[in-house]
Amino acid sequence: CELKFRNKDYETLIAIRYEGNRLTVSHDVDNKRTWKSCFSVDGVYLPTGYYFGVSAATGDLSDNHDVTGLKTYELDTPEGVPRDERADIVPGADTVTAPREHREDPPPAMSGVKKFFLFLLAAVGIIVCIVVGMMIYQQRQENSRKRFY
């Protein structure tokens, strides 16, 4: 799902839950303290013994993302349900298709530094052309005055 979470006057929340080989992502971007489902995928297999990491990439934008909390909970296996050894499984999923339609990223725009140097190069090129043109014009003017008939 796609969410508009920028420039809010309150915290936006996201919940990622993995239980029983089901991965569910929910959000609260409207500050209503209720979770709305973003997507849910069955058949996701994650091993134990791994670490959590949080990162963000914003491209050319200057943006700030604060992680104000990260809570993890260990879920108990109910009585009578066999407990598989999950440390040795390979991470994977039954389906490899994305839960939403894939869209290609737009090509990156030129950064401000690239635009500045391109403008500077163009300005220097125009100035060089003007100076060379003036020199050629003055040389022709001098040559036209030196003719003897």
Side-chain angles (χ1 to χ4, degrees), residues 47-67:
T48 57
Y50 279 57
Y51 298 94
F52 288 99
V54 179
S55 69
T58 58
D60 287 341
L61 297 176
S62 175
D63 214 345
N64 183 20
H65 301 281
D66 295 328
V67 177

Side-chain angles (χ1 to χ4, degrees), residues 68-107:
T68 58
L70 184 64
K71 299 177 185 177
T72 61
Y73 301 97
E74 183 177 356
L75 302 175
D76 291 330
T77 305
E79 299 269 340
V81 176
R83 188 173 183 172
D84 298 337
E85 182 57 45
R86 302 203 55 103
D88 298 327
I89 66 171
V90 176
D94 290 340
T95 60
V96 292
T97 58
R100 64 182 170 127
E101 192 176 304
H102 178 74
R103 286 187 272 169
E104 291 294 327
D105 290 336

Side-chain angles (χ1 to χ4, degrees), residues 128-145:
V128 166
C129 288
I130 289 172
V131 169
V132 168
M134 288 176 58
M135 290 173 60
I136 291 173
Y137 178 75
Q138 286 179 349
Q139 187 68 29
R140 286 189 180 185
Q141 289 290 25
E142 269 186 39
N143 287 343
S144 68
R145 280 186 263 158

Side-chain angles (χ1 to χ4, degrees), residues 18 20-23 41-46 86 89 91-95:
Y18 178 69
N21 297 334
R22 179 185 194 87
L23 182 69
V41 179
D42 285 320
V44 176
Y45 305 101
L46 298 177
R86 302 203 55 103
I89 66 171
D94 290 340
T95 60

